[in-house]
Amino acid sequence: MAMTLAMAGGVSVAAQTAASASASAPTPAPVRAAADTCSYPYVCLFKNGTRIGQFQDVTSGFQDLPSRPSGPNLVVQNTRNDDVAYIRRANGITTCLPPKTSIGIVSGTLTGIRIDSRSTC
């Protein structure tokens, strides 16, 4: 389980309320990740432009986020070519992030991430 998650300057990381993974949910809008980089094949978390976490492994369940990032200015970027990433929020909503996309998280708290080998949400 390759997981890296660190606090940026002691600031809690943030989350946005986005669409759930249901079929009727809109596709996440692309967002520029940050000045910091996220290279293939990672799914990265950025807070205020600084990478605070990266994930690489395809897993059958969610990997918990020990820091429980929350607040504005959080971006999740999926650099993978053929794999979706699911982000789980404290309120139980799960959002699917298609390959090669990023989303901004403006409120809420992230509690987990899972990379799935499916190529579409």
Side-chain angles (χ1 to χ4, degrees):
M1 173 202 264
M3 179 176 127
T4 307
L5 187 60
M7 296 300 288
V11 177
S12 294
V13 197
Q16 145 189 331
T17 315
S20 69
S22 70
S24 63
T27 303
V31 173
R32 180 166 150 54
D36 205 348
T37 61
C38 182
S39 60
Y40 172 84
Y42 292 101
V43 175
C44 298
L45 302 173
F46 294 90
K47 176 67 175 182
N48 295 322
T50 301
R51 185 176 40 165
I52 59 165
Q54 65 182 30
F55 301 82
Q56 179 178 4
D57 295 344
V58 172
T59 60
S60 59
F62 279 91
Q63 298 177 66
D64 289 330
L65 301 177
S67 68
R68 297 179 57 96
S70 62
N73 303 317
L74 180 70
V75 173
V76 181
Q77 181 181 23
N78 181 2
T79 66
R80 299 178 73 96
N81 295 324
D82 299 311
D83 304 322
V84 300
Y86 292 95
I87 53 174
R88 182 184 62 202
R89 301 163 196 279
N91 62 6
I93 293 175
T94 300
T95 301
C96 181
L97 184 60
K100 300 180 186 176
T101 60
S102 299
I103 61 169
I105 308 297
V106 295
S107 66
T109 300
L110 298 184
T111 61
I113 191 162
R114 179 172 67 89
I115 299 172
D116 191 295
S117 60
R118 286 186 270 180
S119 60
T120 59
C121 291

